[in-house]
Amino acid sequence: MRSRSRTRITRTRWVRNACVGGGPCSPAPFELAALAPLPCCRRYIYSTQGTVQYVRPQAAAHTFFVHHRALLVERGCSVARKASTLNKGYWPFLVPGLILFIFIIILPLLMNIGISFTNWNGIRNPKFIGFENYIRLFQDKAFWASFRNNLAMIVAMTIVPTIVGLFLATFLFDYIARVFKRGKGITSFFRAGFYLPQILPVAIAGVVWGWILQPGTGVLNWLLDGLAKATNTTSLAHNWLGDASTALGTVMVIMIWFQIGYPLVIFMAGLQRVDPELLEAASIDGATWLQRFYYITIRIIQPEIFVVVLTTVIAALKVFGPIFVLTRGGPGNATLVPSYFAYQNFFGGTNRVGYGASIATIMTIIIVILTIVFIKMQSKENI
């Protein structure tokens, strides 16, 4: 009797949890819940399009994920179908935002595209020169150097923080918060600590890091000198930002420190959606922590991963503040990025406004294409 009650409660929870999500419509969402023998034991049954299948215990975690996601999709269709029949009276409330979007985003973007086809110093009348700025841009070594540095920024601001943030969030949520007596407090402390750089103004963080990395009086070199004296070895003190061979790597390390709190917080919020019974079911059937992490955790929080990757890639492509404060693109072009390169052409004394506008246009096109690709990929995952 107790088992049946628990099964009913679990099915009800699945149906209730299915109030989010979306995707194509198909019939009988609740038949899936009725066919699932919950809670899990040695073998599982699930149904797709009316076909009942038996699944081996080794695939239990994946099976429950598929089943659970099917319910989310079905319920999302039902909610979307009801929403389509609601009154469309919310459109007037979108007008203020639409007006601001047109004046702040669309019109400046169109003006920038128009300027990119001109030779203009910002004072006299612009002269139309067609695609000359773009032809010169693709032959400019400084632009390609800035583009390569931008790829390094994507590694520092997207790839490394996403991977490290995912493991840190899982470790704090799945181990620290459950094993230790005051685990939730410890988790909140570390979460706040990792997120602290995100609330610091970029200029202040950059100035502080500049002090730390000062070649003569910086704390880092002082510590390295002291360590060398204590161990009677050669000091590793270095002009970290002033040397072209170490400047980009140093900026990347700073950006990892600056960025890592953002995915951590997003992933910890996403982990709240992972049903503990799924993990428990997989654990009973012998799934290791890594298998549960890959087949259940990562697949359930895929929407959060897509959001983090998309937003951090965009942030990396338009990074400007840290470069401006720390290195101003130098030494040479060692840390030059397209946004700072465009700024140099706009306001850096060269007065090549049209050329700077062409750089900004190219970066806008790249960001829009990446955004469309990520959204398409996320839509396919939700189907």
Side-chain angles (χ1 to χ4, degrees), residues 57 66 68 74 108 116 124 184 277 315 317 364:
V66 172
H68 191 69
E74 295 293 345
S116 69
R124 297 178 180 176
K184 290 186 177 179
E277 291 186 3
L317 289 174
T364 302

PDB file of all heavy atoms in Angstrom, residues 57 66 68 74 108 116 124 184 277 315 317 364:
ATOM      1  N   PRO A  57      18.959  -2.568 -16.723  1.00  0.00           N
ATOM      2  CA  PRO A  57      19.315  -1.678 -15.612  1.00  0.00           C
ATOM      3  C   PRO A  57      20.452  -0.732 -15.943  1.00  0.00           C
ATOM      4  O   PRO A  57      20.478   0.388 -15.469  1.00  0.00           O
ATOM      5  CB  PRO A  57      19.727  -2.657 -14.505  1.00  0.00           C
ATOM      6  CG  PRO A  57      19.034  -3.924 -14.844  1.00  0.00           C
ATOM      7  CD  PRO A  57      18.963  -3.981 -16.334  1.00  0.00           C
ATOM      8  N   VAL A  66      14.921  10.201 -20.549  1.00  0.00           N
ATOM      9  CA  VAL A  66      14.094  10.278 -21.756  1.00  0.00           C
ATOM     10  C   VAL A  66      12.625  10.361 -21.384  1.00  0.00           C
ATOM     11  O   VAL A  66      11.861  11.163 -21.914  1.00  0.00           O
ATOM     12  CB  VAL A  66      14.368   9.055 -22.649  1.00  0.00           C
ATOM     13  CG1 VAL A  66      13.381   9.013 -23.802  1.00  0.00           C
ATOM     14  CG2 VAL A  66      15.788   9.106 -23.179  1.00  0.00           C
ATOM     15  N   HIS A  68      11.262  11.329 -18.534  1.00  0.00           N
ATOM     16  CA  HIS A  68      10.949  12.579 -17.853  1.00  0.00           C
ATOM     17  C   HIS A  68      10.861  13.714 -18.862  1.00  0.00           C
ATOM     18  O   HIS A  68       9.946  14.532 -18.812  1.00  0.00           O
ATOM     19  CB  HIS A  68      12.048  12.880 -16.836  1.00  0.00           C
ATOM     20  CG  HIS A  68      11.702  13.999 -15.914  1.00  0.00           C
ATOM     21  ND1 HIS A  68      10.733  13.897 -14.959  1.00  0.00           N
ATOM     22  CD2 HIS A  68      12.204  15.239 -15.813  1.00  0.00           C
ATOM     23  CE1 HIS A  68      10.647  15.025 -14.296  1.00  0.00           C
ATOM     24  NE2 HIS A  68      11.523  15.861 -14.798  1.00  0.00           N
ATOM     25  N   GLU A  74       5.422  17.020 -23.588  1.00  0.00           N
ATOM     26  CA  GLU A  74       3.990  16.872 -23.784  1.00  0.00           C
ATOM     27  C   GLU A  74       3.222  17.932 -23.018  1.00  0.00           C
ATOM     28  O   GLU A  74       2.301  18.549 -23.530  1.00  0.00           O
ATOM     29  CB  GLU A  74       3.559  15.478 -23.311  1.00  0.00           C
ATOM     30  CG  GLU A  74       4.147  14.345 -24.119  1.00  0.00           C
ATOM     31  CD  GLU A  74       3.616  14.328 -25.542  1.00  0.00           C
ATOM     32  OE1 GLU A  74       2.604  15.011 -25.800  1.00  0.00           O
ATOM     33  OE2 GLU A  74       4.216  13.657 -26.384  1.00  0.00           O
ATOM     34  N   PRO A 108      20.999  52.979 -34.407  1.00  0.00           N
ATOM     35  CA  PRO A 108      22.472  53.067 -34.385  1.00  0.00           C
ATOM     36  C   PRO A 108      23.148  51.986 -35.216  1.00  0.00           C
ATOM     37  O   PRO A 108      24.183  52.244 -35.838  1.00  0.00           O
ATOM     38  CB  PRO A 108      22.811  52.922 -32.894  1.00  0.00           C
ATOM     39  CG  PRO A 108      21.594  53.380 -32.185  1.00  0.00           C
ATOM     40  CD  PRO A 108      20.453  52.930 -33.041  1.00  0.00           C
ATOM     41  N   SER A 116      30.082  52.493 -42.356  1.00  0.00           N
ATOM     42  CA  SER A 116      31.152  51.560 -42.734  1.00  0.00           C
ATOM     43  C   SER A 116      31.442  51.582 -44.235  1.00  0.00           C
ATOM     44  O   SER A 116      32.499  51.101 -44.647  1.00  0.00           O
ATOM     45  CB  SER A 116      30.777  50.135 -42.292  1.00  0.00           C
ATOM     46  OG  SER A 116      29.699  49.643 -43.061  1.00  0.00           O
ATOM     47  N   ARG A 124      34.261  66.140 -41.182  1.00  0.00           N
ATOM     48  CA  ARG A 124      33.787  66.564 -42.500  1.00  0.00           C
ATOM     49  C   ARG A 124      32.700  65.609 -43.013  1.00  0.00           C
ATOM     50  O   ARG A 124      32.399  64.589 -42.391  1.00  0.00           O
ATOM     51  CB  ARG A 124      34.962  66.604 -43.478  1.00  0.00           C
ATOM     52  CG  ARG A 124      36.028  67.615 -43.086  1.00  0.00           C
ATOM     53  CD  ARG A 124      37.187  67.569 -44.064  1.00  0.00           C
ATOM     54  NE  ARG A 124      38.215  68.551 -43.698  1.00  0.00           N
ATOM     55  CZ  ARG A 124      39.368  68.673 -44.339  1.00  0.00           C
ATOM     56  NH1 ARG A 124      39.634  67.876 -45.372  1.00  0.00           N
ATOM     57  NH2 ARG A 124      40.245  69.574 -43.955  1.00  0.00           N
ATOM     58  N   LYS A 184      24.801  23.657   3.588  1.00  0.00           N
ATOM     59  CA  LYS A 184      24.133  24.717   2.825  1.00  0.00           C
ATOM     60  C   LYS A 184      24.780  26.076   3.074  1.00  0.00           C
ATOM     61  O   LYS A 184      24.905  26.889   2.159  1.00  0.00           O
ATOM     62  CB  LYS A 184      22.647  24.755   3.188  1.00  0.00           C
ATOM     63  CG  LYS A 184      21.884  23.535   2.664  1.00  0.00           C
ATOM     64  CD  LYS A 184      20.397  23.668   2.917  1.00  0.00           C
ATOM     65  CE  LYS A 184      19.656  22.460   2.316  1.00  0.00           C
ATOM     66  NZ  LYS A 184      18.195  22.545   2.555  1.00  0.00           N
ATOM     67  N   GLU A 277      15.113  11.564  -7.170  1.00  0.00           N
ATOM     68  CA  GLU A 277      14.740  10.164  -7.389  1.00  0.00           C
ATOM     69  C   GLU A 277      15.410   9.592  -8.637  1.00  0.00           C
ATOM     70  O   GLU A 277      15.652   8.393  -8.719  1.00  0.00           O
ATOM     71  CB  GLU A 277      13.223  10.055  -7.509  1.00  0.00           C
ATOM     72  CG  GLU A 277      12.519  10.337  -6.200  1.00  0.00           C
ATOM     73  CD  GLU A 277      11.040  10.067  -6.316  1.00  0.00           C
ATOM     74  OE1 GLU A 277      10.610   9.618  -7.391  1.00  0.00           O
ATOM     75  OE2 GLU A 277      10.323  10.314  -5.335  1.00  0.00           O
ATOM     76  N   ALA A 315      29.841  37.860 -24.705  1.00  0.00           N
ATOM     77  CA  ALA A 315      30.646  38.738 -23.846  1.00  0.00           C
ATOM     78  C   ALA A 315      32.121  38.712 -24.253  1.00  0.00           C
ATOM     79  O   ALA A 315      32.804  39.750 -24.227  1.00  0.00           O
ATOM     80  CB  ALA A 315      30.494  38.322 -22.381  1.00  0.00           C
ATOM     81  N   LEU A 317      33.303  38.056 -27.289  1.00  0.00           N
ATOM     82  CA  LEU A 317      33.488  38.704 -28.589  1.00  0.00           C
ATOM     83  C   LEU A 317      33.482  40.230 -28.489  1.00  0.00           C
ATOM     84  O   LEU A 317      34.086  40.905 -29.323  1.00  0.00           O
ATOM     85  CB  LEU A 317      32.388  38.245 -29.559  1.00  0.00           C
ATOM     86  CG  LEU A 317      32.490  36.801 -30.051  1.00  0.00           C
ATOM     87  CD1 LEU A 317      31.276  36.427 -30.871  1.00  0.00           C
ATOM     88  CD2 LEU A 317      33.758  36.625 -30.883  1.00  0.00           C
ATOM     89  N   THR A 364      29.312  42.393 -35.276  1.00  0.00           N
ATOM     90  CA  THR A 364      27.862  42.253 -35.087  1.00  0.00           C
ATOM     91  C   THR A 364      27.327  41.080 -35.896  1.00  0.00           C
ATOM     92  O   THR A 364      26.506  40.286 -35.399  1.00  0.00           O
ATOM     93  CB  THR A 364      27.148  43.547 -35.510  1.00  0.00           C
ATOM     94  OG1 THR A 364      27.666  44.637 -34.753  1.00  0.00           O
ATOM     95  CG2 THR A 364      25.653  43.440 -35.279  1.00  0.00           C
TER      96      THR A 364
END
